[in-house]
């Protein structure tokens, strides 16, 4: 585990460190009967939230049921901004169109970073030619003009074999899709469409495992869980090929595919529902250990302490203006998110 010093930020805004003790849910157990906390969204964040929800369901005495769906960040925001869910898992900051939709529907939200991910490009282990790919080669393969035209490995790099390249990736309801197209193609939602897509990353994993000519992309945790059957591609962003790892996320050298992961909380529901308050506080207390166990890079402990204070102060809005976070270090992310106590820079 590593530690990034955010003490300067903390002192600047006068927030003490130390996890604030969990506050008991208001009301009697009988008043919480049959309560359900609904969560949806990102397949990347899903294993973290699912594990924490399972822990909560096992440890919580009150009959509160936490249900975690899997419709992709974008599909999740569609439900969240209609007030259908309490929390949305997201692998990108809330996009501009959903900022507007939430505002129209009076859905205020609390934005909490919970981990860092290295979006991973993978190939079959038998592939011995595409061990390293440049950002430009990935763009050549995935940009819209490649559709029904770039179909063989040799068309990407003349030194590679004249074999069919079979593509696997997330669908358009995925935040991973939005992030990848922004980082690699250079424009959100700009991609060829002739590939096998799914919002379920495990399905993409199995597709690549079974196809020697496959290439796909998804969150780092899914690669780590299956690294004996997959090969990660080193990404060359101009300084040689860099493989995804905890270390290359920390030192910000795995560019441009390192990204933060988030949960978004419906602020009004959190104020009205003691069970939801309790779950979010439980989530932040458990997140560091669970994130590491699942396979992503946890934030420093102080970041989860700040997130708890952020949540308790009902600090609504986003600091990312509807855009994916490209090439930001963990320290830069935390400074941007927590540097201002008076909500300067937040948009809602």
């Amino acid at each position: 585990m590593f530690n990034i010093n955010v003490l300067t930020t903390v002192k600047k805004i006068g927030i003490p460190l130390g996890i604030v003790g969990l506050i008991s849910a208001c009301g009697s157990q009988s008043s919480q009967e049959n309560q359900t906390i609904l969560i949806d969204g990102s397949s990347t964040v899903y294993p973290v939230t699912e594990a924490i929800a399972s822990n909560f369901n096992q440890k919580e005495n009150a009959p509160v049921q936490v249900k975690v769906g899997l419709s992709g960040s974008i599909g999740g925001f569609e439900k969240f901004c209609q007030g259908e869910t309490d929390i949305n898992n997201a692998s990108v900051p809330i996009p501009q169109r959903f900022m507007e939709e939430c505002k129209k529907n009076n859905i205020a939200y609390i934005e909490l970073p919970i981990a860092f991910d290295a979006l991973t490009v993978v190939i079959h282990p038998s592939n011995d030619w595409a061990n390293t790919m440049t950002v430009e080669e990935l763009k050549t393969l995935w940009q819209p003009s490649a559709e029904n035209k770039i179909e063989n490995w040799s068309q990407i790099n003349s030194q590679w074999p004249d074999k069919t390249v079979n593509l696997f990736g997330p669908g358009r309801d995925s935040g991973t899709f939005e992030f990848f197209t922004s980082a690699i193609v250079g424009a959100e939602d700009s991609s060829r469409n002739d590939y096998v897509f799914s919002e379920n990353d495990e399905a993409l994993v199995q597709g690549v495992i079974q196809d020697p000519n496959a290439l796909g992309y998804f969150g780092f945790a899914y690669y780590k869980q299956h690294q004996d059957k997959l090969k990660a591609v080193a990404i060359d962003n101009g300084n040689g090929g860099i493989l995804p790892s905890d270390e290359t996320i920390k030192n910000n050298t795995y560019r441009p595919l390192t990204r933060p992961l988030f949960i978004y909380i419906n602020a009004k529901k959190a104020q009205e529902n003691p069970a939801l308050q309790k779950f979010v506080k439980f989530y932040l207390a458990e997140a560091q250990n669970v994130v590491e166990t699942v396979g992503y890079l946890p934030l420093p402990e102080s970041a989860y302490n700040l997130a708890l204070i952020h949540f308790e102060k009902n600090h609504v809005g986003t600091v990312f203006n509807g855009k994916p976070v490209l090439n930001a270090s963990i320290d830069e992310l935390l400074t941007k998110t927590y540097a201002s106590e008076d909500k300067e820079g937040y948009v809602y």
Side-chain angles (χ1 to χ4, degrees):
M1 185 55 55
F2 73 104
N3 183 25
I4 291 180
N5 186 0
V6 292
L7 289 176
T8 301
T9 297
V10 176
K11 290 177 181 177
K12 186 184 300 182
I13 61 179
I15 297 175
L17 288 179
I19 295 180
V20 179
L22 296 182
I23 297 175
S24 298
C26 299
S28 65
Q29 178 169 318
S30 61
S31 69
Q32 294 187 7
E33 287 181 1
N34 302 319
Q35 285 199 35
T36 302
I37 296 171
L38 297 177
I39 306 173
D40 210 313
S42 168
S43 60
T44 305
V45 182
Y46 174 85
V48 176
T49 300
E50 172 64 17
I52 293 174
S54 178
N55 292 345
F56 182 82
N57 286 336
Q58 290 174 16
K59 294 178 181 179
E60 183 60 31
N61 292 324
V64 178
Q65 187 176 17
V66 183
K67 294 184 177 181
V68 187
L70 185 67
S71 61
S73 298
I74 305 308
F77 275 125
E78 289 177 351
K79 299 176 183 179
F80 182 79
C81 291
Q82 293 295 325
E84 297 174 13
T85 56
D86 303 301
I87 297 175
N88 194 54
N89 297 324
S91 59
V92 288
I94 183 170
Q96 183 69 44
R97 62 190 182 278
F98 292 113
M99 291 169 61
E100 295 169 1
E101 185 71 13
C102 275
K103 188 171 185 177
K104 183 181 75 173
N105 294 326
N106 294 314
I107 305 294
Y109 46 83
I110 302 169
E111 176 180 76
L112 300 177
I114 55 99
F116 250 71
D117 176 33
L119 195 157
T120 305
V121 178
V122 298
I123 53 179
H124 192 274
S126 65
N127 182 325
D128 59 3
W129 58 88
N131 295 321
T132 297
M133 295 184 72
T134 66
V135 171
E136 192 59 37
E137 286 170 342
L138 285 170
K139 181 177 180 179
T140 296
L141 179 59
W142 283 99
Q143 63 190 344
S145 60
E147 187 166 333
N148 298 320
K149 293 181 180 178
I150 305 299
E151 298 179 332
N152 296 324
W153 286 99
S154 59
Q155 292 175 278
I156 306 165
N157 185 317
S158 61
Q159 303 300 311
W160 294 348
D162 189 27
K163 295 181 177 180
T164 301
V165 55
N166 299 318
L167 299 176
F168 295 82
R172 291 179 179 268
D173 279 346
S174 168
T176 298
F177 174 85
E178 286 219 350
F179 181 86
F180 185 85
T181 53
S182 295
I184 298 299
V185 181
E188 292 175 49
D189 300 332
S190 180
S191 173
R192 67 189 299 166
N193 295 307
D194 56 338
Y195 67 96
V196 177
F197 65 87
S198 175
E199 307 307 336
N200 186 334
D201 287 347
E202 191 62 38
L204 303 177
V205 166
Q206 295 305 317
V208 178
I209 286 174
Q210 296 170 30
D211 188 343
N213 290 317
L215 178 143
Y217 66 91
F218 37 73
F220 188 46
Y222 287 90
Y223 161 70
K224 288 179 78 173
Q225 291 166 16
H226 301 280
Q227 56 187 305
D228 58 327
K229 300 176 183 177
L230 295 169
K231 183 189 289 187
V233 175
I235 306 301
D236 184 350
N237 193 31
N239 297 303
I242 303 293
L243 284 166
S245 69
D246 289 353
E247 187 58 36
T248 58
I249 300 173
K250 292 176 200 176
N251 63 26
N252 203 26
T253 58
Y254 182 70
R255 292 190 170 204
L257 295 180
T258 298
R259 58 176 177 168
L261 305 176
F262 303 87
I263 56 172
Y264 285 79
I265 320 298
N266 183 308
K268 185 171 185 284
K269 289 185 177 183
Q271 288 182 320
E272 295 174 345
N273 185 349
L276 180 55
Q277 294 173 23
K278 192 169 186 177
F279 175 72
V280 173
K281 292 171 183 178
F282 182 87
Y283 193 116
L284 295 174
E286 294 274 302
Q288 190 174 42
N289 290 333
V290 172
V291 164
E292 185 170 36
T293 300
V294 166
Y296 299 119
L297 191 70
L299 302 178
E301 183 179 358
S302 53
Y304 298 109
N305 299 342
L306 289 168
L308 178 57
I309 295 167
H310 207 62
F311 174 68
E312 290 181 324
K313 288 191 172 186
N314 197 42
H315 200 158
V316 301
T318 175
V319 294
F320 299 104
N321 296 311
K323 300 293 183 182
V325 183
L326 301 178
N327 298 322
S329 68
I330 297 177
D331 203 21
E332 289 168 343
L333 171 78
L334 298 181
T335 299
K336 186 175 181 68
T337 304
Y338 299 120
S340 177
E341 192 175 21
D342 60 5
K343 302 185 181 181
E344 181 182 351
Y346 273 75
V347 178
Y348 165 63

